[in-house]
Amino acid sequence: MSTSPRAVAIAAQNAASDPGVSAFVSASAGSGKTKLLTDRVLRLLLAGEEPTRIHCLTYTRAAAAEMAVRLHRRLGVWVTLPDEKLARELTGLGVEPRGATLEKARGLFASVLDLPGGMRIGTIHAFCESLLRRFPVEAALSPRFRLLEETDAALAWREAREGMLQHAFTPAAREALEQVAVFALTGQFDALVQALQRDRDRLAGLLALPEAGVELALRRALGVSGDEAAVVAAAAVAPPPAAVAEALRLVAEQGSPTVAEGARASLEWLAMPAGERSWSAWRGRFLLDDGTPRGPTKLVNKVLAARRPEAAAALLAEQERVAAVDDACRAVKTALASVALLRLARPLVAGWTAAKATADRLDYEDLIHRTRRLLVDPGAAWVLYKLDGGIDHLLLDEVQDTAPAQWDIVGKLSEEFFAGRGARERTRTLFAVGDRKQSIYSFQGADPAGFETWRATLRARAAGGWRDVEVPVSFRSTTPVLELVDAVFQAPEAAAGVAVPGTLRHLANRAGHAGGVELWPLTPATKPPEDEDAWQVPERTPALKAPPQRLAEALAQWIAGQTAGGVMLPARGRALRPGDVLVLVRRRSAFAHALVRALKAEGVPVAGLDRMMLTEQPAVADLLALADVLLLPEDDLQLAAVLTSPLGGLSDESLMRLAMGRHGTLWQALVRRAAERPDWLAAHAFLSELFARADYVTPHALLVDALGRLGGRSRLLARLGTEAAEPIAELLNKALEYARNHPPSLQGFVQWLRQSGAEVKREAGGGGDAVRVMTVHGAKGLQAPLVVLPDTTALPPDEERVVWVEPGGGGPALPVWAPLKTMRPRSVQDALDSLRAAQMQEFRRLLYVALTRAEDRLLVCGWEPSRGLPAESWYALVREGFARLGAEAVAEALPWEGTILRRACPQTRAPQITPTVTETPAAPLPRWAGRAPLWRPEPP
């Protein structure tokens, strides 16, 4: 007897939300993890648990706010439901609807609403901050510490870096600076040092050692001593075994012409005096330029090797010796580069740490590491005792993204839950929910292996009171979308790092709803006409468009047609709207900006990219130019920019009449001649009002005056459109943020804003009825009826990395940096290959996240790379998935040749007008909820 997906999901949800046991839930995309967390809290409250003893840890403020809103909304509904409907609600939760239970359910809303501060639902960073504020002395912190905002953090890091460069006067520091500068630009150096800081405890312990000791340990870990010249000289002087010379003579006499010639050259090298031998010549006999060993047939031809195997064995042994010497030379280069990096990182990290300590500031990573140190320290055991008396039930969300340091905190918090006689005699539980397939935040330290490791650890601690629950049902996507996901990850090469090959199976609760998946052919590169003479100078520039630009324009036209009102969403019972479209890219590249421009050109409402560089916005640039003029009226260039901006209101012709032939500065000319023209008079009045207040009010008050009372905002919006409203609002927010942490100086604010870059993260899911263009990382947790994946043909870059190696014989792990492949010894290359393999596994998990954002329809497309389509690219994997599905070819017109592949299903059930109880929609969040996530910052 078959069981419906909905019944499977409800059974799994009820088993997981049982308040009497601890549970670890592995829930696929779209299975309702937030609802499951809410159900668990509701059942704990119905079981009589005190709300203050329940603690929920999430990883973003938005997720915490969404869960709190859902909980309050559900409890508010319970108050008004009649007994029959409330009984059905409780039955759906797996709770027996007795009379007393019904009364308790109705009273929960008031009891939760009256809690001081509400339910304890927040981010892990917020929990760590509250813990450190509660025990600052034990954590060796000032009780007045504050969080370091991202803008201030960027400026503090820059100041620390400049301080390091200013004091790099010693010969050793200058040598290190010169060596690092050969391989890394400023941004790359910052990225390397920040990568080192991800493991702050290990780095701090390493930098506490003397520089000489660190260098010696690095050399010992890499197995080298001395410099490269000494290694080469020793290898060149040391004669090879006699068997090698004998083998070379044999090859020179009896080998084929090619190998015989090489053998004779090698014999001449051996005949040279030891001091005149060139090691590169001997190395070139056995190795290629990149260090790869030459094939055996390049040393001894096959016929001779078969007849005299001992000769081939001797030369192969010498080849291994030469390769070992070459590896030692590489290790010396790597050691020198690593020592140079650490020599510069030491004062940089020290200055950065000192700056934070002086200002009593902590960044978000400090919160985690300080809390971990506090809880692990045996001397602070009474801190755990105090916490043990306040938490009975711990709920964890998105545990696949939990970093090792965070797992240590969770482990310490829950250690006493299963340790026999605890602080109180009562049932205490731990609940964790996540999906290993969606672990995509390794740049924050998330370790997918920790998902299973900690599940096993907690299961062992809990003994019998434990449940492992799988929820494979998706309430989000239609059948074609889920079938494609399963087909894509069916192959072993696609499933590596995502799931065991052949085991990924999604059950569709929305079976019978119309949906479809579509694959466009790749956009080919545009080639110039063949009949043009290559030597003829063209009369005009040929209008060639790069493939990404062509795809952006084609997508914009297609989206415009789809959202014009004539395309229906049968599963929704309405037409497709711009707000139903979500375009996901891997990075904010030129294609993403081209697509936004193309959508605007087609008249399609678009919310823009999910991140915005504030200082690059036209409205903000005009306001910053205004601030420059208020600080220095003699700056003619900036004043001219202000006068011709919407704030000044002058035309170019009017500005030329004012500026040409003037005596003195442009401002003096405007003051003298303001009465000659109405636009000059208005500009003079506008600026004069602000000049009178610039020295007496805060930057925020000055901007409010310029934008409000003096009409600047309306003029900016009239010329730049409503798109300027958000940058203007964000600029005002930045002015308030600056005033909270700095003296209210206009000059300081302008410098602070420009130096930091002021990158603004747009609210997730915001933008109203407009197309959203965002990265896959930024779309985690979001969904849309129509999802478009256009950035699918490139692989993630193989970036420079710092690897930590464990030295033989014990000792702390050491960071190794080898910027070039020609510098990497075999051990370091193996470690980097392992990191690359892990990076590609996450790359495939990112594809899983991208595909599962689609509710009804999914479109996959891309452009043809110049070097051909990589077999591991998203497009190639999805194309193979379509082949397994048996998708039909569709003859539809595209701006380029090719066949569209499509798989669709018709509507066979009633439209999904309103979600069911199991599919409770995400509540609308307040604007602040998604503004500054404490977890999951975007990758560059």
Side-chain angles (χ1 to χ4, degrees), residues 246-553:
E246 181 62 30
L248 288 172
R249 283 191 288 270
L250 181 65
V251 173
E253 295 171 359
Q254 304 179 24
S256 62
T258 303
V259 297
E261 182 181 355
R264 285 192 288 272
S266 298
L267 287 172
E268 292 176 2
W269 186 88
L270 287 175
M272 292 180 181
E276 299 178 8
R277 293 173 180 171
S278 169
W279 174 254
S280 61
W282 186 254
R283 176 189 179 276
R285 168 66 178 148
F286 296 94
L287 306 177
L288 298 175
D289 290 342
D290 62 356
T292 305
R294 293 185 182 275
T297 57
K298 300 296 183 181
L299 303 179
V300 184
N301 55 292
K302 290 183 179 180
V303 175
L304 183 58
R307 191 170 68 248
R308 298 294 296 273
E310 71 281 1
L315 293 179
L316 288 174
E318 178 61 14
Q319 186 181 56
E320 291 180 4
R321 186 184 78 90
V322 173
V325 174
D326 191 65
D327 199 63
C329 292
R330 292 166 179 255
V332 170
K333 295 177 182 177
T334 297
L336 292 175
S338 302
V339 169
L341 177 64
L342 284 176
R343 186 166 288 152
L344 297 182
R346 184 185 296 270
L348 174 55
V349 173
W352 161 251
T353 305
K356 290 190 294 182
T358 302
D360 289 335
R361 301 292 182 89
L362 296 180
D363 61 22
Y364 293 129
E365 288 302 308
D366 287 331
L367 294 176
I368 297 294
H369 289 276
R370 291 271 190 166
T371 303
R372 176 183 176 275
R373 199 178 308 162
L374 174 64
L375 298 180
V376 172
D377 184 2
W382 82 281
V383 173
L384 283 172
Y385 172 78
K386 297 289 287 184
L387 289 175
D388 188 50
I391 301 177
D392 284 339
H393 304 278
L394 187 62
L395 289 79
L396 309 173
D397 187 21
E398 302 286 3
V399 292
Q400 77 277 353
D401 295 325
T402 304
Q406 296 170 341
W407 273 123
D408 290 340
I409 294 172
V410 171
K412 280 296 180 181
L413 290 177
S414 61
E415 200 170 38
E416 293 298 319
F417 281 22
F418 317 112
R421 298 178 64 86
R424 292 171 313 284
E425 296 297 329
R426 60 188 305 142
T427 300
R428 309 178 70 189
T429 63
L430 184 141
F431 177 84
V433 60
D435 183 11
R436 191 179 185 276
K437 302 187 295 296
Q438 299 186 66
S439 179
I440 58 174
Y441 292 97
S442 63
F443 60 90
Q444 292 180 327
D447 181 16
F451 185 86
E452 296 298 337
T453 301
W454 275 94
R455 180 181 356 208
T457 300
L458 296 172
R459 183 194 301 121
R461 288 183 184 177
W466 181 264
R467 281 182 188 163
D468 285 304
V469 181
E470 302 285 334
V471 186
V473 180
S474 172
F475 292 93
R476 173 186 300 159
S477 305
T478 55
T479 300
V481 175
L482 296 178
E483 286 179 345
L484 177 63
V485 173
D486 293 343
V488 167
F489 295 102
Q490 182 179 342
E493 59 271 15
V498 181
V500 177
T503 63
L504 188 59
R505 292 290 182 272
H506 290 85
L507 301 177
N509 180 67
R510 294 185 60 196
H513 282 166
V517 291
E518 195 168 305
L519 180 71
W520 283 7
L522 290 176
T523 307
T526 304
K527 298 180 181 179
E530 297 181 359
D531 56 351
E532 287 191 0
D533 186 355
W535 298 99
Q536 183 73 26
V537 178
E539 295 182 0
R540 58 186 179 85
T541 303
L544 298 180
K545 292 182 180 178
Q549 180 66 34
R550 294 184 66 198
L551 178 60
E553 294 177 358

Side-chain angles (χ1 to χ4, degrees), residues 840-853:
M840 292 305 298
Q841 289 180 359
E842 183 173 88
F843 178 68
R844 291 185 284 272
R845 291 194 294 271
L846 197 64
L847 173 60
Y848 174 84
V849 171
L851 294 175
T852 54
R853 299 309 95 192

Side-chain angles (χ1 to χ4, degrees), residues 854-879:
E855 296 177 359
D856 296 69
R857 297 172 54 191
L858 173 69
L859 169 63
V860 181
C861 50
W863 59 87
E864 187 176 346
S866 58
R867 298 183 179 180
L869 182 68
E872 294 182 280
S873 67
W874 286 1
Y875 189 91
L877 297 178
V878 172
R879 185 171 58 186

Side-chain angles (χ1 to χ4, degrees), residues 148-202:
L148 188 63
E149 298 294 338
E150 291 184 10
T151 305
D152 288 327
L155 292 178
W157 180 267
R158 177 179 296 184
E159 291 175 3
R161 186 186 66 222
E162 292 175 354
M164 177 271 293
L165 294 175
Q166 290 173 359
H167 293 88
F169 294 139
T170 64
R174 284 186 174 276
E175 182 182 356
L177 184 59
E178 292 172 0
Q179 190 161 8
V180 172
V182 171
F183 303 113
L185 300 175
T186 302
Q188 294 170 314
F189 172 72
D190 285 348
L192 288 169
V193 179
Q194 288 168 1
L196 283 173
Q197 285 204 104
R198 289 178 188 167
D199 195 339
R200 298 195 178 187
D201 292 336
R202 187 156 57 176

